Amino acid sequence: MGLVRTLLPLPRAAARLAPQLGGPLLGAALMRCLTPRWVLLRPPSPTRRLAEAEEAVAVYRALVEAASPRPQHRGLLARALAQHAGALLLFGRYEEALTALDASQAVPDARRPPGLRASVPHLRAQAQFELGRLDEALDSARDSVAAYRALLPVPGERAPARLSGALRTYALVLGALGRTEESVAVYEEGAGVLRAMSLLTTGSVPVVRARVLSELTSGLRHLGRYEEALTVGREAREATGSALVWTLPDTVRPLRVRLLLDLARCHAATGDLLTARTTVGEAVTEARALADRDRAAGEQWLIATLGLLADVLGELEEEDEELGIRQELVNLCAAQAAEDPRVHGPRLAEHLEWLADCHRAAGDLRSAVDVTERSVAAYRRAAEYEPAAYEPELARVLANLSLRRSNDGDGEGAVSAAREAVALTRRLAESDWQAYHPLTGHRLHVLGRALRRSGAHTAAVACYEESESILDDAREGDAEATRHASSLAAARSGLAVALEEAARSHLSAGRFAEAVADLRSLLALTGRTDRTDVHAGCVTAFAEARAEHGEPLVRAWTRTTGEDFPTFVYRRPASSDL
């Protein structure tokens, strides 16, 4: 191929001097350049391949339109148009590729060999897949696979190699349609075809082999077949080795990065965290090398690999190293978000959340608050572009911010963030009551906590009471009853503390009527829950109130309720109550 390309000026000159004699020679040379047989030499650049395909189309079109065209020229024009479509696919010009394939099919009286009849639907499937026309792509891929299977007994055809590529496209489309089990079965067939091929034939499709094995590993992982994925993955690692990476770095290195990510996830899923860490570390190294060549594509993989590395480090409880990786991720995402906030801002917000969690786990509350505030700001910007997608996330992170501000001693800031989270969740509930009304109860719990810690006892009691009411209703009528029951119990515990503190505050100020109302509410709460902490808190509140305020409190209780001030009989709680 390299020699033919070097000698191309000779047939070009012949074609100019004698088109009917030199044209076929030039066309044959161009087609030879477009159909390489081995991969040891670097392939031509996409730009050169497209130029040669366009030239081949022009040569054969001129021969077909000549006064007395030869019959074989029509078939060669159809082949050249198919090669042109394949070159257009490399540039993402999918609609143009489909147009070229239609033109190939429309060449009148063209002799189309079986290989061409199989390759055209394969190329069509690839273009349709990239355009998102998955149902059409599925039909085209199925036709291509059937046509290549029919070629297997034909001598001289490279049908097994081409069949493996068609099977890979078919499996890819099935996977995109969510038919993962069928996709994996087709990948396994493709891998079987490749394993049965000779070394010489396999050498003509090394990228197909790398893709099939890597994508099969991914599919097996998604199905939870981790041991099988690890077995295939070892073969895929060999298929994406350093020699092929050196030959086709921009094509193969992303495959290798994704493969290493899948293998690391499989090791983690099977409990082998140390091997997972080593494997994802290799993926990070490959992703950094890719980013050095192509920043835009490489950084996407670098973010994915660093994210998994941070997760594994977290599982291994290597907190300092995890924190460093999370910070690097935030720096990468921040740089991308500065260039295109609409696309990259949400991911920055997500990684800021993870970084804040690391600071909180390390006990650095101030840094946790600062980073969470940055996450809120990033989600706020994202919600301006896509409210439906990111307003729920904004409300959630605002609630987290309230909790962290409260733990850091910023009572006013905690209340402000919680109020915004509640207001936003109430607004979301107007359009989706079933999803967001229970969340309103959760967020009111957070607001009640912030108000209680800031000393706004009456407002805190009101928040807890509304939270209890909402969550009690949600527990009765929602499929997630267990989760709501747990939140309801927490809301009642918070309400008990808020009522006790409110009563104490009123008593200290001499507001006996208000204190009695709080104590009555606390007593009534014990009838709605079996939680030991609520009952114990009630007993303690009544005992301390009477001990400190005596007869004035008893008279206020009797005057308000018409009943004697309650006394309690202690019992040792059963273990089930604890």
Side-chain angles (χ1 to χ4, degrees), residues 257-428:
V257 172
R258 189 176 74 169
L259 170 66
L260 290 167
L261 279 173
D262 283 322
L263 292 175
R265 292 186 178 108
C266 289
H267 286 302
T270 55
D272 189 355
L273 292 176
L274 293 177
T275 304
R277 177 184 177 180
T278 301
T279 306
V280 74
E282 293 180 63
V284 169
T285 300
E286 294 284 355
R288 292 192 194 281
L290 184 59
D292 290 340
R293 289 180 58 89
D294 182 346
R295 176 177 171 267
E299 283 189 352
Q300 304 309 310
W301 286 112
L302 184 56
I303 289 170
T305 55
L306 288 171
L308 181 57
L309 177 58
D311 292 343
V312 172
L313 290 170
E315 290 288 328
L316 290 169
E317 298 182 354
E318 298 183 16
E319 296 177 355
D320 291 342
E321 290 189 49
E322 181 191 2
L323 181 61
I325 296 298
R326 298 285 183 199
Q327 185 63 63
E328 182 180 357
L329 278 165
V330 164
N331 294 341
L332 278 170
C333 293
Q336 291 184 333
E339 297 175 2
D340 192 343
R342 184 165 191 162
V343 173
H344 301 294
R347 184 161 58 185
L348 170 62
E350 179 183 354
H351 283 292
L352 284 165
E353 284 190 78
W354 284 106
L355 180 59
D357 286 342
C358 285
H359 284 303
R360 179 184 57 80
D364 189 351
L365 299 181
R366 182 68 261 162
S367 294
V369 169
D370 290 343
V371 175
T372 306
E373 287 173 347
R374 290 177 61 193
S375 181
V376 166
Y379 274 126
R380 203 184 299 281
R381 287 191 296 270
E384 293 175 0
Y385 298 118
E386 296 183 60
Y390 296 113
E391 281 187 345
E393 298 301 312
L394 175 59
R396 178 181 57 79
V397 181
L398 281 166
N400 289 341
L401 177 60
S402 173
L403 295 172
R404 287 169 183 170
R405 281 176 170 172
S406 182
N407 291 335
D408 194 41
D410 181 5
E412 183 177 347
V415 170
S416 175
R419 285 193 190 283
E420 186 178 358
V422 169
L424 186 51
T425 309
R426 288 191 197 277
R427 192 171 77 243
L428 291 167

Side-chain angles (χ1 to χ4, degrees), residues 153-165:
V154 178
E157 290 285 350
R158 292 190 300 152
R162 291 168 176 167
L163 174 60
S164 64

Side-chain angles (χ1 to χ4, degrees), residues 489-560:
R492 284 172 171 164
S493 293
L495 175 58
V497 174
L499 286 167
E500 181 182 357
E501 291 178 348
R504 188 182 301 116
S505 175
H506 288 312
L507 288 170
S508 297
R511 298 189 292 269
F512 288 94
E514 290 86 344
V516 167
D518 291 330
L519 290 172
R520 291 184 71 187
S521 295
L522 181 56
L523 185 58
L525 178 60
T526 63
R528 302 195 298 272
T529 179
D530 292 331
R531 287 189 63 87
T532 302
D533 62 320
V534 173
H535 285 259
C538 180
V539 170
T540 301
F542 273 84
E544 289 181 351
R546 182 164 190 174
E548 293 179 14
H549 299 280
E551 286 305 313
L553 173 61
V554 172
R555 288 194 298 270
W557 179 274
T558 303
R559 185 171 57 252
T560 301

Side-chain angles (χ1 to χ4, degrees), residues 81-95:
L81 285 164
Q83 289 286 351
H84 186 212
L88 289 167
L89 288 176
L90 298 176
F91 284 87
R93 294 159 62 176
Y94 306 117
E95 292 288 1

Side-chain angles (χ1 to χ4, degrees), residues 460-485:
V461 167
C463 278
Y464 279 121
E465 287 177 338
E466 185 180 1
S467 174
E468 180 194 20
S469 175
I470 291 172
L471 292 170
D472 196 23
D473 290 342
R475 182 191 59 171
E476 296 298 327
D478 195 282
E480 299 183 29
T482 302
R483 181 172 67 88
H484 293 317

